[in-house]
Amino acid sequence: MSDEKSITVDVVSDVVCPWCFIGQKRLDKAIAAANEVEVHIRWRPFQLDPTIPPEGKDRREYMMAKFGSDERIREIHARIEPLGEAEGINFAFAAIKVAPNTLDAHRVIRWAGAAGEVMQNRLVRRLFQLNFEEGANLGDHVVLINAAREAGMDASVVETLLPTDADVEAVRTEIATASRMGITGVPCFLLEGKYAVMGAQDVDTLTDAIRQVAAAKARGELEKATR
């Protein structure tokens, strides 16, 4: 397939964001629908709450402090669950015991990206599943190492790097860059580094955006816009 029918989508997301999990599923469907376009995905870091300590917080206490009541929390979950079900996600919010700091998860995602797009996609999908469907703690290094192994990464390298500061500043810089670009919520789908689709949009919206940007690229309009 020629480069003219190839685009890159940078997905700015956090692995503890339910809308990002929904967005990932919808993006998959959009890519399948616009199958005449070759879409390359890169996952970019964002932290919904970088103030959470490395050991995480009790999720129920965290949610209560954020939303004020069990009733409000139930309402939020009840709104998200059927949307997830429609995308094949079995949200198990009650199983999530820890609200983690996701910085280390983003480091592992970054390392997966260095090993290739397929590896990174596999890892991100597994992390979403672990958090939302299995209630795993994504701040736990054992969980992250096992996820890396399941995605096909060299788990021994991940195990060696995680306790160090490797790529901590690189990830924080990427998050700061997203903020400077005006990204205040996720998911954000950045097509060819120029066109942003904000939020977990429906499949048709994402499909249309992919096709339009691919067509603009084929006409040479994206190159003109950067000169």
Side-chain angles (χ1 to χ4, degrees), residues 5 11 15 17 57-58 63 86 102 114 119 130-132 136 146 150 163 171 174 178 184 191 197 207 213:
K5 279 293 185 181
V11 187
V15 283
C17 165
K57 290 184 176 180
D58 178 272
M63 294 292 281
T102 56
M119 189 91 73
L130 282 164
N131 183 68
F132 287 112
N146 287 338
E150 289 173 33
V171 170
E174 272 205 80
T184 56
L191 288 74
V197 178
T207 305
V213 172

Side-chain angles (χ1 to χ4, degrees), residues 79-158:
R79 186 160 58 97
I80 295 171
E81 282 163 355
L83 295 173
E85 195 175 330
E87 305 302 338
I89 300 168
N90 297 308
F91 280 114
F93 290 113
I96 306 171
K97 303 305 181 189
V98 177
N101 183 300
T102 56
L103 183 65
D104 285 344
H106 286 302
R107 291 165 68 209
V108 182
I109 291 167
R110 180 183 179 88
W111 301 331
E117 179 184 343
V118 171
M119 189 91 73
Q120 192 180 49
N121 275 317
R122 277 205 301 256
L123 177 67
V124 170
R125 282 160 174 71
R126 185 64 187 128
L127 292 176
F128 277 136
Q129 288 174 343
L130 282 164
N131 183 68
F132 287 112
E133 297 185 324
E134 299 175 33
N137 175 10
L138 296 190
D140 184 334
H141 284 188
V142 173
V143 171
L144 294 175
I145 291 161
N146 287 338
R149 184 181 292 109
E150 289 173 33
M153 296 173 68
D154 186 337
S156 63
V157 173
V158 175

Side-chain angles (χ1 to χ4, degrees), residues 9-11 23-24 27 187-191 195-197 199-201 206:
V9 179
D10 287 290
V11 187
Q24 175 256 305
L27 178 61
C188 174
F189 304 95
L190 193 62
L191 288 74
Y195 299 95
V197 178
Q201 298 289 341
L206 288 169

